């Protein structure tokens, strides 16, 4: 290979490699930001519906409880909704079941 060809590869190959690496990093960063925003959106929606869900549980209104849970379940990015009582017993489950039931996560303010 001639010196001119080697210089051409060195001068063009290195910047192309750097651009490719930057493109990959930007795609990864964009995906991470999108997932973080989606998680925040789902958490906010759950926190907004939590008082209504709690009221329906206290009143024993299973129909209203299921309607509210379906509103959560229909949100994009959510695979399933599981509602637990204070003792940790499953009250309602919609959609895909979690891998295993453990102590339900508590949303605290």
């Amino acid at each position: 290979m001639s010196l001119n060809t080697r210089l051409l590869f060195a001068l063009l190959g290195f910047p192309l490699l750097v651009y490719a690496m930057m493109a990959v990093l930007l795609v990864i960063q964009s995906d991470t930001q999108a997932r973080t925003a989606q998680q925040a959106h789902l958490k906010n929606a759950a926190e907004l519906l939590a008082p209504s869900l709690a009221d329906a549980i206290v009143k024993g209104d299973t129909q209203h409880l299921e309607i509210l849970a379906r509103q959560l379940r229909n949100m994009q990015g959510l695979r399933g909704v599981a509602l637990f009582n204070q003792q940790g017993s499953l009250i309602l489950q919609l959609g895909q079941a979690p891998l295993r039931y453990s102590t339900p996560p508590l949303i605290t303010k």
Side-chain angles (χ1 to χ4, degrees), residues 47-48 50-51 106-109:
E47 287 177 351
L48 286 174
L106 299 175
I107 297 175
T108 58
K109 293 183 180 181

Side-chain angles (χ1 to χ4, degrees), residues 13 52 67:
S52 300
I67 290 170

Side-chain angles (χ1 to χ4, degrees), residues 82 84-85 87-90 98-105:
F84 298 88
N85 63 12
Q87 292 76 31
S89 301
L90 182 66
L99 296 175
R100 61 186 159 94
Y101 291 114
S102 60
T103 305

Side-chain angles (χ1 to χ4, degrees), residues 1-2 8 16 19-21 23 30-31 34 40 44 46 54 70 94 96 99:
M1 214 187 291
S2 71
L8 182 65
L16 289 175
Y19 289 142
M21 288 173 39
S30 174
D31 184 54
N44 289 338
R70 284 192 190 282
L94 297 173
Q96 187 177 6
L99 296 175

Side-chain angles (χ1 to χ4, degrees), residues 60-92:
D61 188 358
T62 56
Q63 184 179 10
H64 188 61
L65 184 66
E66 189 171 337
I67 290 170
L68 292 171
R70 284 192 190 282
Q71 286 178 351
L72 273 177
R73 172 59 188 97
N74 290 334
M75 296 189 72
Q76 183 181 2
L78 199 60
R79 288 183 264 166
V81 173
L83 300 174
F84 298 88
N85 63 12
Q86 288 180 336
Q87 292 76 31
S89 301
L90 182 66
I91 297 172
L92 176 72

